[in-house]
Amino acid sequence: MRLLQAKKGPGFTETAPIQSDSPPGLACYTTRYAGRTLDLTLFAFTRALDVIAGELWSRRKLRRQSAGRWSALEDAVSRLTDPAVFALSSGLIMWTWIYLPSRLPRSYNKWIGSAAAVDPRLIEALQRCRTGELSYGQDTGQAPLLGALCDDYDWPRSWGDPAISVPFPCEIVHMGTGSSCEFHALSRFAQSFRWAMATYFPLNILLVLRNPNVKALRRAFISSSRSSAFLGAFITLFYYGVCLARTRLGPRLLGKDVKSRQCIDGGICVGIGCALCGWSILLESAGRRKDIGLFVAPRALATLLPRRYSLDKQWRETAVFSASTAVVFTCVLEDKERVRGVLGNVLGSVLLP
């Protein structure tokens, strides 16, 4: 860890003049920050938590089954834990992508933006609704933001004026697919499925080339289709969750007055979309669910922590990484099957004779 943390980089150093009136480049000091290895530490930490929780739950299951007291509820918890971890993690990441994008790595922001295929002006409008900068029923100078978007799609410019349109029509969210929320959801699924297939299928075909045959080709197509359906459903559920809150259910439950509309577009609609989208993981196989969930969880935790912090607190991160690694390595040596997914196989081949 010290070797990794010793590397300097522009994102973790800051140069400033000692005195505010000093000429640029003179009498400056450099402050170093920690946090370079945070993603690695959180990866180890979540794996250690998974090992500990899995071991405790396994012992409970064995004890309850031997006593004949294992219930249907406990069986459901066993099956739904991995999907719930993914749903919670991905929901947190999507919320951060909308409202706090600076907390996500640049590559993450770029990939999610490419998959979502949404006009950045719409995202900015939702952000301004949350901060109150864009306020329904009031002229706060925000009309040009969505007004320009309306011009691009040949919609009435008044749709984008929050002083006139309370709220702005859901058709703006649909990005030119019409007024129907359900048709928009279907079109999003089709668009996202094609986009994902263009990525997954060539990758699976490369694996088939090692030993080409009809059975392997069929398996590659099914695997690609399943993963593409998962990603397509993820994006569809997010957008339809937004529409449910804005158009279908939100106004019925919360009201149609200006205050309720502001509240819905100020966070509730995005929150519903975030809560729904991750459950698309149920379309994936059980084996893939745990790998994807454990891959996303540390990235969700990273959104709750600063990307860099004071160097004198770096020992805390090092201690967490060391303890987490000790847990995982000990478990591999005692029971390799307890470390789930690809990591368990890799560590088992490295650590075991």
Side-chain angles (χ1 to χ4, degrees):
M1 287 294 283
R2 288 193 176 187
L3 181 63
L4 293 173
Q5 293 166 347
K7 184 179 179 181
K8 297 179 181 180
F12 297 92
T13 57
E14 190 174 273
T15 302
I18 296 177
Q19 298 177 350
S20 58
D21 57 349
S22 299
L26 297 177
C28 294
Y29 67 95
T30 300
T31 302
R32 286 190 59 203
Y33 292 94
R36 174 180 294 279
T37 55
L38 183 63
D39 290 332
L40 179 62
T41 298
L42 291 176
F43 176 79
F45 178 69
T46 53
R47 284 292 183 164
L49 280 183
D50 179 66
V51 164
I52 294 172
E55 180 64 23
L56 293 176
W57 186 257
S58 179
R59 293 183 182 185
R60 172 187 170 85
K61 181 177 180 180
L62 185 62
R63 187 171 61 252
R64 297 272 292 178
Q65 285 182 333
S66 62
R69 299 174 59 188
W70 183 251
S71 65
L73 177 60
E74 290 168 315
D75 188 59
V77 169
S78 296
R79 289 183 287 105
L80 293 177
T81 295
D82 287 328
V85 167
F86 176 81
L88 179 62
S89 301
S90 58
L92 185 57
I93 290 173
M94 291 301 296
W95 178 273
T96 304
W97 178 69
I98 295 287
Y99 294 122
L100 300 166
S102 61
R103 292 194 178 184
L104 289 175
R106 185 179 302 176
S107 58
Y108 242 56
N109 278 318
K110 184 177 180 181
W111 188 89
I112 295 175
S114 177
V118 62
D119 194 295
R121 290 171 291 187
L122 182 58
I123 300 296
E124 189 173 351
L126 292 173
Q127 292 170 347
R128 294 183 184 182
C129 277
R130 181 161 181 79
T131 60
E133 189 178 354
L134 189 156
S135 184
Y136 285 130
Q138 301 179 32
D139 186 2
T140 56
Q142 302 300 314
L145 176 63
L146 290 181
L149 181 63
C150 292
D151 291 340
D152 292 344
Y153 285 90
D154 294 325
W155 296 323
R157 195 175 179 85
S158 59
W159 283 10
D161 189 345
I164 301 174
S165 296
V166 183
F168 57 83
C170 218
E171 188 168 346
I172 293 181
V173 179
H174 301 166
M175 303 287 294
T177 58
S179 59
S180 171
C181 295
E182 287 70 29
F183 181 78
H184 170 245
L186 291 174
S187 66
R188 280 287 180 181
F189 180 82
Q191 176 185 349
S192 303
F193 183 86
R194 290 195 302 269
W195 181 83
M197 276 293 283
T199 302
Y200 287 125
F201 191 57
L203 292 176
N204 281 308
I205 286 296
L206 288 176
L207 297 177
V208 170
L209 293 179
R210 297 182 303 175
N211 184 24
N213 56 73
V214 175
K215 185 177 180 180
L217 182 62
R218 185 187 302 114
R219 187 166 57 247
F221 179 77
I222 293 174
S223 176
S224 302
S225 299
R226 193 168 192 168
S227 296
S228 299
F230 149 64
L231 186 56
F234 183 98
I235 296 171
T236 300
L237 287 174
F238 177 80
Y239 277 109
Y240 194 62
V242 172
C243 289
L244 279 177
R246 298 192 77 249
T247 307
R248 296 292 184 253
L249 297 179
R252 296 175 183 272
L253 298 176
L254 300 178
K256 299 180 181 180
D257 57 287
V258 174
K259 185 178 180 180
S260 298
R261 294 293 192 175
Q262 185 74 36
C263 186
I264 290 172
D265 282 355
I268 291 178
C269 64
V270 172
I272 296 299
C274 292
L276 290 179
C277 62
W279 291 102
S280 62
I281 193 66
L282 293 173
L283 294 176
E284 280 284 8
S285 62
R288 289 270 293 164
R289 291 174 199 166
K290 63 174 181 286
D291 283 329
I292 297 175
L294 290 172
F295 175 80
V296 173
R299 285 152 179 79
L301 285 178
T303 65
L304 303 176
L305 300 172
R307 295 303 300 177
R308 65 180 192 177
Y309 57 90
S310 178
L311 194 63
D312 62 350
K313 295 180 175 61
Q314 188 168 262
W315 67 269
R316 300 177 183 179
E317 183 192 338
T318 303
V320 170
F321 175 82
S322 301
S324 301
T325 305
V327 169
V328 175
F329 278 25
T330 300
C331 193
V332 168
L333 295 173
E334 294 191 356
D335 182 7
K336 187 184 75 170
E337 300 302 321
R338 176 56 55 213
V339 182
R340 304 187 300 162
V342 177
L343 181 67
N345 296 330
V346 172
L347 290 179
S349 64
V350 172
L351 297 177
L352 297 177

